Amino acid sequence: MGQADEHSTLPPRFIDLKTELVKDRDRLQNAWNDLLAQLKSSVEETKKEGSNIIPQVEFSELQNLSPDKFKDIKRRGAVLVKNVVDSGQATAWRDELTAFVKTNPVEGFPEDDKQFFQLYWTRPQVQARAHPNVLSLIGWLNNLYHIGTPPKSDQVTSVDLLKSVELSTPLVYADRFRIRHPGVQWNTHPPHIDGGGIERWEDANFRSCYNDILNGEWEKHDPYDLAGRLNAKISLYGRPGQASVFRTFQGWISLSETAPTQGTLKVFPDLTLSNAYLILRPFFHLKKKLVSDDPLDQQNWEFDISTPDFPGIFERDGGFFGPRLTPQSHPHLRLSESMTSVPLVRPGDMIFWHCDVVHSVEQEHTGNDDSAVMYIPAVPLTPQNLAYIERQKESFLKGIPPPDFPKGAGEDSFIGTGRETDVIGETARKAMGLAY
């Protein structure tokens, strides 16, 4: 848990960045102490509740949720929405995908037992993204966000840009699918956060999303305020594999029955606390001489900006990788106890998690059947997103990988590839960029 083993040393210029960001040392110290107390309580609650802590709602009841349920969904940053698509339809999609990967010379991982597929335009994927219930749900999720007042800076989101956002208009971001086999261990998805790393501190726009935290007022932090997110630079160093769109939530639709321990998603289910801890963590270190026997005790931690390190951020290929969170780099999250598997899902259910949520995938799949999902995030209409959808549309019509993904021969010649005729309805056609 000491400094030497929690992260790699970053360039010295990041000491200057830390110094620039600290406005009131005492306020930050008090905020840190309060945060650690809240985290301790939150993790204990999570341990007690287990998967039940993840909110569960029926798709048919979305318009009639109580204020308490809304509040719970926003606090947890994750939600299971049941019966979005008829189970028979979802099962049929799984069967068609299984046949597709057997019939066509597809790319997937691992090479000797393919389970995660570099495929974007199969008929089931195209149809699922165009399904009216899926699009309605995406619009509902987008509206959990709100358009706040942009910070007073010419470097951040303008009022005009915010006015151009249509949260109720869903857009389609084409992604892949997996059919995970039981008994196979996956070690490639430990706790992490997508959509930018060091940029959360270094980019002025992105950083503005966390101003309240950096000002020592983390309780005021609003993860659902769009101001700052739309112009945020999530890849200052040309980092590969970054989405070019702003996703309010990441998500997938289940094509099988999958329970905890069967290779499912895990999340840290307290969004404001995890954001606050992630952002403040680089400014505090474990004391060399402990005051008490418990290393997590706030008395054993001190304000320290003398090093350039940002725990969970690593140099790689001329840029920076992360945040990759571990028990060593972010000990107060108590990840081995707090990372919580989502509840049992059945075919046609959907899971979504906020773009800032710490998440991972279970290493073990102890079930007897394949665990299959298609990845479908929630994406609102913004100028940047719409520009990407226009480019993605051309990829769809040509049957080649979308712009954000590695180039390849594509799927146009494969048997069972989705076509424009599979995108039915005006809302679906707009979401795919086919009606603009």
Side-chain angles (χ1 to χ4, degrees), residues 270-281:
D270 207 324
L271 177 56
T272 295
L273 293 185
S274 59
N275 267 356
Y277 186 71
L278 176 80
I279 296 300
L280 292 181
R281 175 67 181 87

Side-chain angles (χ1 to χ4, degrees), residues 46-64:
T46 298
K47 287 173 57 182
K48 178 181 177 181
E49 296 293 328
S51 295
N52 291 328
I53 206 166
I54 308 297
Q56 305 177 48
V57 299
E58 289 284 342
F59 173 77
S60 61
E61 298 175 357
L62 285 180
Q63 306 309 319
N64 301 304

Side-chain angles (χ1 to χ4, degrees), residues 87-99:
S87 61
Q89 175 63 81
T91 301
W93 282 336
R94 181 195 64 205
D95 293 343
E96 188 171 344
L97 289 175
T98 301

Side-chain angles (χ1 to χ4, degrees), residues 44-87:
E44 290 302 319
E45 180 187 9
T46 298
K47 287 173 57 182
K48 178 181 177 181
E49 296 293 328
S51 295
N52 291 328
I53 206 166
I54 308 297
Q56 305 177 48
V57 299
E58 289 284 342
F59 173 77
S60 61
E61 298 175 357
L62 285 180
Q63 306 309 319
N64 301 304
L65 297 184
S66 68
D68 285 344
K69 181 62 75 171
F70 267 111
K71 184 178 179 180
D72 193 35
I73 291 171
K74 295 183 77 170
R75 176 185 176 183
R76 301 305 170 192
V79 61
L80 163 57
V81 185
K82 299 180 178 181
N83 297 305
V84 181
V85 173
D86 178 77
S87 61

Side-chain angles (χ1 to χ4, degrees), residues 109-110 113-116 178-181 184-190 263 361-365 371 375:
F109 304 98
D113 184 21
K114 296 174 182 175
Q115 301 174 50
F116 188 91
R178 65 166 166 81
I179 303 176
R180 184 174 176 181
H181 303 159
V184 178
Q185 183 158 321
W186 284 21
N187 298 317
T188 56
H189 302 285
V361 176
E362 292 178 337
Q363 292 186 358
E364 301 288 343
H365 177 355
S371 171
Y375 297 96

Side-chain angles (χ1 to χ4, degrees), residues 130-338:
H131 195 286
N133 288 2
V134 172
L135 294 172
S136 175
L137 174 54
I138 288 174
W140 184 88
L141 288 161
N142 290 339
N143 275 285
L144 292 178
Y145 283 71
H146 63 94
I147 300 173
T149 303
K152 297 177 181 179
S153 169
D154 59 1
Q155 298 185 61
V156 295
T157 312
S158 70
V159 174
D160 289 340
L161 177 57
L162 288 169
K163 287 181 178 179
S164 67
V165 174
E166 296 180 19
L167 291 174
S168 295
T169 301
L171 297 180
V172 161
Y173 182 77
D175 207 330
R176 296 148 294 183
F177 67 91
R178 65 166 166 81
I179 303 176
R180 184 174 176 181
H181 303 159
V184 178
Q185 183 158 321
W186 284 21
N187 298 317
T188 56
H189 302 285
H192 66 285
I193 305 172
D194 295 320
I198 192 64
E199 291 82 2
R200 283 175 165 78
W201 297 270
E202 193 171 11
D203 177 61
N205 291 342
F206 207 166
R207 185 170 66 237
S208 71
C209 301
Y210 311 106
N211 275 345
D212 286 328
I213 299 172
L214 290 165
N215 289 336
E217 299 178 302
W218 62 263
E219 300 95 334
K220 295 182 179 179
H221 171 58
D222 183 357
Y224 297 90
D225 187 347
L226 279 178
R229 291 190 181 272
L230 300 183
N231 270 344
K233 295 181 175 64
I234 65 171
S235 184
L236 290 172
Y237 302 91
R239 175 180 169 183
Q242 295 295 291
S244 298
V245 301
F246 167 61
R247 299 171 291 187
T248 56
F249 287 80
Q250 294 169 262
W252 45 250
I253 183 168
S254 179
L255 307 181
S256 60
E257 182 171 304
T258 303
T261 77
Q262 295 179 358
T264 197
L265 176 78
K266 302 180 79 172
V267 299
F268 183 94
D270 207 324
L271 177 56
T272 295
L273 293 185
S274 59
N275 267 356
Y277 186 71
L278 176 80
I279 296 300
L280 292 181
R281 175 67 181 87
F283 304 96
F284 295 89
H285 286 91
L286 186 67
K287 294 178 179 178
K288 293 182 179 179
K289 186 175 182 179
L290 299 187
V291 177
S292 70
D293 293 335
D294 180 8
L296 300 183
D297 190 329
Q298 66 184 45
Q299 298 180 79
N300 287 323
W301 291 76
E302 61 185 351
F303 179 86
D304 180 6
I305 55 173
S306 64
T307 73
D309 303 313
F310 281 71
I313 303 294
F314 307 87
E315 276 196 280
R316 178 182 291 181
D317 301 327
F320 301 93
F321 170 80
R324 178 68 63 86
L325 296 81
T326 69
Q328 291 72 40
S329 66
H330 295 82
H332 296 91
L333 294 183
R334 293 161 59 187
L335 296 168
S336 62
E337 303 171 87
S338 62

Side-chain angles (χ1 to χ4, degrees), residues 97-122 125 175-179 186 375 399-402 405-414 417:
L97 289 175
T98 301
F100 188 98
V101 300
K102 291 180 179 178
T103 302
N104 298 292
V106 302
E107 294 184 27
F109 304 98
E111 184 63 35
D112 59 345
D113 184 21
K114 296 174 182 175
Q115 301 174 50
F116 188 91
F117 298 93
Q118 300 291 86
L119 297 168
Y120 312 89
W121 307 122
T122 67
Q125 288 170 289
D175 207 330
R176 296 148 294 183
F177 67 91
R178 65 166 166 81
I179 303 176
W186 284 21
Y375 297 96
I400 60 176
F405 296 90
K407 295 180 180 179
E411 307 160 46
D412 193 53
S413 63
F414 289 174
T417 298

